[in-house]
Amino acid sequence: MDDFVSETDSEYTSYWRDWFISSRGNEYFCEIDEDYLTDRFNLTGLNTEVQYYQYALDLVTDVFDLDCDDEMRETIEKSARHLYGLVHARYVVTTRGLTKMLEKYKKSDFGKCPRVTCHSHPLLPMGLSDIPNVRPVKLYCARCEDIYNPKSTRHAVIDGAYFGTSFHNILFQVYPAYIPSKSTERYIPRVYGFKVHASAALIRWQTAKRDDMKRRLRRQGIDSGLTDDDGEEIEVVEEDEDQDLARHNRDQDASRNSTAVA
């Protein structure tokens, strides 16, 4: 921004989009075609979302010629960045926008997955909300199907709504050849080659299942009599559970029949 302070208005606005895309922290954005920006249909509803909408649009489209003070110019500049981000979310799901973002994806411009077993697979920016100023941008890995925070603080403050919640999924729908094979590798803790606490994990799972069964029987008013060493009672409980399942199925059938008669 400082590079343009001493420039004239025409020189300042002639390269606004080039300046925005090349600025540090804006590497996730692609350049929006001018004909897309000048088509008012693509901007429907944004006039209520952006302060000084018309001035901001003029600045983005390189026709800004308002003579104003530095404070006003800074406010319009902020609005222009916000407007560009909102239009960007719409543009990246178009055919042209998907093509540009795919090229950046293939060059790993958005970073690589930090998960070791994903072997540095490229990431894609995504939002957790389509509403502005709600959640910052996240990075999605198509291999492990998980999301991560950007490494750089400059990227971490970008609004997730500037990419939207659907872009990353739409890209792989349009370009299915780029869907990676899923990561099946999992880290297994070991000590001298032996798995750590494998039996403890099984015991925790069994205990959780037993406790869940007790709660369900207690809700039914049934005294299970379960103890840690009583296998006989467990068999009785399983029979009761089967009876409860059969009763539930009969109730559902009766409900469907009554609905059909009505």
Side-chain angles (χ1 to χ4, degrees), residues 4-69:
F4 295 92
V5 171
S6 61
E7 305 283 349
T8 64
D9 286 347
S10 61
E11 290 172 331
Y12 176 80
T13 58
S14 294
Y15 307 99
W16 191 91
R17 275 175 294 160
D18 291 338
W19 164 78
F20 179 82
I21 294 299
S22 61
S23 296
R24 295 181 64 188
N26 291 336
E27 291 85 1
Y28 289 177
F29 294 93
C30 69
E31 184 176 358
I32 302 175
D33 295 334
E34 185 173 356
D35 57 351
Y36 189 90
L37 283 167
T38 54
D39 187 342
R40 294 305 176 98
F41 177 79
N42 300 322
L43 311 178
T44 302
L46 297 184
N47 59 323
T48 61
E49 298 284 339
V50 180
Q51 186 182 21
Y52 298 114
Y53 167 79
Q54 190 57 55
Y55 291 144
L57 180 60
D58 290 345
L59 181 57
V60 172
T61 55
D62 301 332
V63 295
F64 183 78
D65 60 357
L66 178 67
D67 186 13
C68 57
D69 57 28

Side-chain angles (χ1 to χ4, degrees), residues 16-18 20-22 25-34 36-37 60 83-105 107 109-110 125 158 162-163 167 171:
W16 191 91
R17 275 175 294 160
D18 291 338
F20 179 82
I21 294 299
S22 61
N26 291 336
E27 291 85 1
Y28 289 177
F29 294 93
C30 69
E31 184 176 358
I32 302 175
D33 295 334
E34 185 173 356
Y36 189 90
L37 283 167
V60 172
L83 175 61
Y84 191 91
L86 295 177
V87 178
H88 187 269
R90 301 180 178 186
Y91 179 72
V92 293
V93 294
T94 65
T95 302
R96 181 65 176 156
L98 287 170
T99 302
K100 290 185 177 182
M101 294 297 276
L102 179 64
E103 291 302 315
K104 294 173 71 68
Y105 170 73
K107 294 185 293 185
D109 285 355
F110 310 116
I158 298 175
Y162 295 165
F163 300 89
F167 153 68
L171 186 140

Side-chain angles (χ1 to χ4, degrees), residues 118-168:
C118 283
H119 306 292
S120 300
H121 191 77
L123 298 170
L124 277 173
M126 59 162 289
L128 295 177
S129 174
D130 291 314
I131 302 174
N133 304 316
V134 175
R135 299 290 295 274
V137 69
K138 303 297 179 184
L139 296 172
Y140 170 77
C141 175
R143 175 159 289 175
C144 63
E145 297 184 327
D146 210 343
I147 59 176
Y148 302 90
N149 289 317
K151 288 183 178 181
S152 172
T153 55
R154 296 192 303 272
H155 298 144
V157 297
I158 298 175
D159 198 323
Y162 295 165
F163 300 89
T165 58
S166 302
F167 153 68
H168 59 295

